[in-house]
Amino acid sequence: MASVSSALPTGNKPALRRTQTEATTDSYPATADASPFDSPLERSASNTSLSSLASDNVKTDKAEFGKLIDTYGNEFEVPDFTIKDIRDAIPKHCYERSALRSLSYVARDMVYLAVTFYVWNKYVTPEYIPLKAARVVLWGLYTFMQGLFGTGLWVLAHECGHQAFSPSRFINDTVGWVLHSALLVPYFSWKFSHSKHHKATGNIERDMVFVPRTREQQASRIGKFAHELSELTEETPIYTLIHLIGQQLIGWPNYLMTNVTGHNNHEKQREGRGKGKKNGWFTGVNHFNPNSPLYEEREAPWIIVSDIGIAITITALVYLCKTFGTSNMFVWYFLPYLWVNHWLVAITYLQHTDPSLPHYTAEEWNFVRGAAATIDREFGFIGRHLLHGIIETHVLHHYVSTIPFYNADEASEAIKKVMGKHYRSDVKDGPIGFIKSMWKAARWCQWVEPTEGAEGKGKGVLFYRNQNGLGTKPAKLPKA
């Protein structure tokens, strides 16, 4: 990993950590002779033609936004580069995808799963390990390891959804459907909603995952007026812990079934499929309903294909439970499945939730700004080897999602020179720092609001605030 330094602000403001590498120095050579903008690769959510791209090619006038302050207390500037700047900086070979190479990673992860299953069932038995407590610990380790290997396969299916797995859409969607279905994920349903997430990252009205509450929404949720949030006492740590446990345990299935953390503006669905519909149970807003407002009419048949994949897996699991016993299947499959869900939620949460990150109103959002409102982290061997770098190269992924993960490190280094101070990375303490960041995000990032005293366009740039006395204080508002 490249060396890390901290950009220390003045006073007592917490430091915003950013990675600085050789790629960010002025002496770094140009990495492309021509723009990859017209690459023949299939367009995906983050490299397709978007209506917002026109505004992405307009330089930002800092004076229009005034002084913006993030949660750490650092002054924030809206990104001033363009999507073309990003694509021009990436070497052309980074866009090349290999079905054979990608399939080799699928085979590798499946070997990990199979060998682990064989070794534990063969040797972690009373015959070889008489002490029951030792067997319990080892089987607990088994569920953790299988959860990591399963998450690796999940990430490879994620590559398929972005058409980064291979040049063939048929191979991508076939492999993705099989892998995600085996993990009880509705592949095409997720693929379509995830594409919308990439097209609206950081947009407070249209993003699809971990959309933070506004100040008004937070106040309504806890039965207060908006002006009272700046007067609240600290939230008890035990409440934060309970919230985190619930998020990590049931957050993913809850998202699939109720669209929790996704936007709730379904009335604006252009085909009228969202009239009268809100997120929640039994409202029709979920990833299994072909008529869900999360999808367009043309996507409905593929939602059914996703449901068929889930039905096949459930049928297989029922058969295996009857054949080998529910208790065995609980250890072999269901506990590792919960670990997969945990890692998926943790990774996504920490990619988009950090005291340094902004969100934007619809008026001030564009694709370049939204993609920069993400952050890279570091998870060591587990992140780079087992989870295929999804934690370490997420910023790049939001700009050009068709770049395969095995080329993402090089491409990430290339765009850092363009992004400069707008590139966000928190790599302090490696894997331990990643885990600690979950608690930090939960305590620091409770809702978003404009910087106190913001005027003009600055009112459309929102930052996290909290009632725990951490970082920048919430704005003091007059009584309604």
Side-chain angles (χ1 to χ4, degrees):
M1 184 66 193
S3 60
V4 179
S5 65
S6 296
L8 296 174
T10 59
N12 296 319
K13 299 174 183 177
L16 168 60
R17 295 183 291 275
R18 297 191 182 98
T19 303
Q20 293 183 344
T21 71
E22 291 79 1
T24 62
T25 65
D26 292 336
S27 62
Y28 192 77
T31 55
D33 296 327
S35 170
F37 187 87
D38 297 320
S39 167
L41 299 178
E42 291 187 64
R43 303 287 180 177
S44 75
S46 59
N47 73 354
T48 190
S49 176
L50 303 174
S51 60
S52 62
L53 290 187
S55 62
D56 292 339
N57 289 323
V58 179
K59 294 292 184 179
T60 299
D61 183 354
K62 180 180 176 181
E64 293 181 308
F65 291 87
K67 189 172 184 178
L68 306 174
I69 304 296
D70 71 15
T71 318
Y72 283 126
N74 294 303
E75 186 169 357
F76 176 87
E77 294 182 17
V78 174
D80 57 356
F81 51 89
T82 69
I83 190 65
K84 185 177 186 300
D85 294 334
I86 291 289
R87 290 176 176 150
D88 282 350
I90 300 172
K92 288 184 178 180
H93 65 262
C94 288
Y95 294 87
E96 296 175 2
R97 302 161 292 174
S98 166
L100 185 61
R101 184 171 182 181
S102 295
L103 286 169
S104 73
Y105 285 105
V106 174
R108 187 202 72 179
D109 288 353
M110 287 185 169
V111 168
Y112 287 164
L113 286 165
V115 169
T116 304
F117 180 83
Y118 173 81
V119 169
W120 255 254
N121 281 277
K122 177 71 174 179
Y123 297 108
V124 185
T125 63
E127 178 183 359
Y128 290 96
I129 305 175
L131 187 62
K132 183 177 182 180
R135 295 199 305 275
V136 170
V137 171
L138 287 172
W139 277 106
L141 178 62
Y142 166 91
T143 67
F144 175 75
M145 292 172 60
Q146 296 291 70
L148 288 174
F149 303 149
T151 305
L153 288 175
W154 203 107
V155 173
L156 293 175
H158 168 267
E159 291 273 297
C160 293
H162 283 291
Q163 307 303 313
F165 190 83
S166 81
S168 166
R169 180 177 292 275
F170 176 78
I171 292 176
N172 295 336
D173 286 342
T174 301
V175 173
W177 181 77
V178 171
L179 294 180
H180 264 177
S181 295
L183 295 167
L184 294 176
V185 177
Y187 170 72
F188 289 102
S189 308
W190 162 84
K191 172 185 171 180
F192 296 141
S193 68
H194 190 67
S195 171
K196 292 176 174 64
H197 158 60
H198 272 254
K199 292 175 181 177
T201 304
N203 186 317
I204 201 70
E205 296 181 16
R206 292 174 41 230
D207 202 352
M208 297 295 292
V209 294
F210 286 110
V211 179
R213 286 184 287 272
T214 63
R215 180 167 180 150
E216 291 72 23
Q217 291 168 339
Q218 175 74 1
S220 176
R221 178 174 176 267
I222 63 177
K224 300 288 184 180
F225 291 105
H227 72 270
E228 295 178 304
L229 292 192
S230 59
E231 305 165 2
L232 294 179
T233 57
E234 178 184 0
E235 180 180 272
T236 61
I238 189 64
Y239 179 87
T240 305
L241 179 62
I242 291 172
H243 173 79
L244 267 179
I245 292 173
Q247 172 182 288
Q248 297 309 119
L249 191 63
I250 62 172
W252 172 242
N254 197 16
Y255 172 70
L256 292 179
M257 291 186 282
T258 71
N259 199 44
V260 65
T261 82
H263 80 75
N264 205 17
N265 298 308
H266 306 299
E267 291 281 351
K268 298 180 180 180
Q269 206 276 344
R270 61 185 179 183
E271 296 175 336
R273 293 159 65 91
K275 289 186 177 180
K277 294 183 178 180
K278 293 291 183 181
N279 294 344
W281 292 95
F282 312 115
T283 64
V285 184
N286 61 63
H287 284 71
F288 304 98
N289 177 14
N291 298 314
S292 172
L294 300 179
Y295 308 112
E296 315 297 326
E297 184 67 32
R298 61 183 172 78
E299 297 167 336
W302 295 104
I303 310 307
I304 296 174
V305 174
S306 299
D307 294 345
I308 291 172
I310 299 296
I312 292 172
T313 299
I314 291 175
T315 300
L317 290 172
V318 170
Y319 171 79
L320 292 171
C321 285
K322 290 181 177 179
T323 304
F324 298 102
T326 302
S327 59
N328 281 331
M329 287 298 297
F330 183 72
V331 175
W332 292 344
Y333 181 90
F334 293 107
L335 283 178
Y337 167 78
L338 291 179
W339 275 113
V340 172
N341 290 354
H342 156 73
W343 291 119
L344 171 62
V345 173
I347 291 166
T348 309
Y349 179 54
L350 292 180
Q351 287 168 338
H352 300 283
T353 311
D354 187 82
S356 68
L357 298 180
H359 281 74
Y360 298 90
T361 62
E363 293 76 17
E364 300 309 327
W365 178 91
N366 64 38
F367 183 78
V368 165
R369 293 171 186 172
T374 59
I375 187 168
D376 288 342
R377 301 186 188 271
E378 177 64 48
F379 208 47
F381 173 82
I382 289 176
R384 293 187 174 277
H385 184 74
L386 300 182
L387 305 185
H388 307 295
I390 194 172
I391 294 170
E392 292 79 8
T393 59
H394 192 68
V395 176
L396 175 278
H397 174 69
H398 263 275
Y399 279 112
V400 191
S401 62
T402 51
I403 291 179
F405 74 90
Y406 42 79
N407 292 333
D409 277 318
E410 181 180 358
S412 290
E413 291 301 310
I415 71 170
K416 287 177 187 177
K417 183 178 180 181
V418 174
M419 295 188 69
K421 62 189 174 184
H422 302 293
Y423 170 75
R424 296 292 187 269
S425 177
D426 186 349
V427 300
K428 183 179 179 181
D429 299 330
I432 300 300
F434 178 85
I435 299 300
K436 289 166 61 178
S437 292
M438 293 184 62
W439 179 259
K440 185 175 190 177
R443 297 291 287 173
W444 284 64
C445 306
Q446 293 185 321
W447 71 84
V448 293
E449 62 180 62
T451 299
E452 186 167 15
E455 297 181 358
K457 291 186 175 182
K459 293 180 179 179
V461 186
L462 314 177
F463 297 95
Y464 286 106
R465 300 292 186 255
N466 62 80
Q467 69 183 73
N468 298 321
L470 299 170
T472 304
K473 308 297 183 186
K476 292 184 180 298
L477 302 180
K479 292 184 179 181

